[in-house]
Amino acid sequence: MRVPNCELCESEGGEILFRHPNYRIVRVMGIEGESYRGFCRVIWERHVKEMSDLTSDERGLFMDAVFRLEAMLRQTLHPDKINLASLGNLTPHLHWHVIPRFHDDATFPKPIWATVDTLKAPPAASSSSSSLSAPADSRAGFNVDWAETVRRAFQQ
């Protein structure tokens, strides 16, 4: 069932990484996706508002996708923490946020929706880089194509 004026019924909600008949996994785009590397949503295809609107089997299928995605992001990006959230106050279409968190992200340790801490310095850039491109980050998993890794893992 599609509901008019529902953002997640009328749009994909991000870049599709995997589509199952009952749910889709998307990479969050825009400023949120740029600010929080690896930020994904798992979105139930049919418009429902609450987890209890699903059958027991559907809940198991949905949460299995959330947990598999969490594990894949942890393995690939090595975040300091993963945040899982299902709010839906602004978009009452069942979806879960899966958000890798890093100590140097804009709002850590606060929720991503908190006011950005303007005093937090960005990660130090390498001064030895002679090219105009951004220096490679030395953190484990930082330069990994995590989205492609998620796509491949869920297609197996």
Side-chain angles (χ1 to χ4, degrees), residues 10-31:
E10 294 182 346
S11 76
E12 298 290 4
E15 175 191 341
I16 296 286
L17 299 179
F18 178 74
R19 184 181 299 278
H20 181 276
N22 293 337
Y23 64 86
R24 62 189 179 270
I25 297 174
V26 301
R27 174 185 193 164
V28 173
M29 305 303 288
I31 191 72

Side-chain angles (χ1 to χ4, degrees), residues 78-155:
H78 309 282
D80 296 305
K81 180 72 175 94
I82 293 269
N83 291 167
L84 299 178
S86 179
L87 305 170
N89 297 332
L90 295 175
T91 306
H93 181 125
L94 189 57
H95 63 287
W96 280 84
H97 301 267
V98 182
I99 313 159
R101 299 299 306 276
F102 301 89
H103 280 94
D104 61 354
D105 73 35
T107 57
F108 194 87
K110 298 178 232 168
I112 68 163
W113 298 282
T115 304
V116 173
D117 182 356
T118 56
L119 300 177
K120 187 178 283 190
S126 169
S127 59
S128 64
S129 175
S130 60
S131 73
L132 294 177
S133 63
D137 193 299
S138 62
R139 287 177 292 181
F142 192 85
N143 295 310
V144 170
D145 184 354
W146 64 267
E148 186 56 33
T149 301
V150 169
R151 280 188 190 98
R152 283 195 312 265
F154 274 86
Q155 289 173 355

Side-chain angles (χ1 to χ4, degrees), residues 69-85:
L69 176 61
E70 175 195 12
M72 181 55 52
L73 291 171
R74 286 182 68 199
Q75 178 183 4
T76 305
L77 296 175
H78 309 282
D80 296 305
K81 180 72 175 94
I82 293 269
N83 291 167
L84 299 178

Side-chain angles (χ1 to χ4, degrees), residues 56-73:
S56 179
D57 287 346
E58 289 172 330
R59 283 192 301 269
L61 176 71
F62 196 36
M63 292 313 297
D64 182 59
V66 170
F67 298 146
R68 284 182 61 204
L69 176 61
E70 175 195 12
M72 181 55 52
L73 291 171

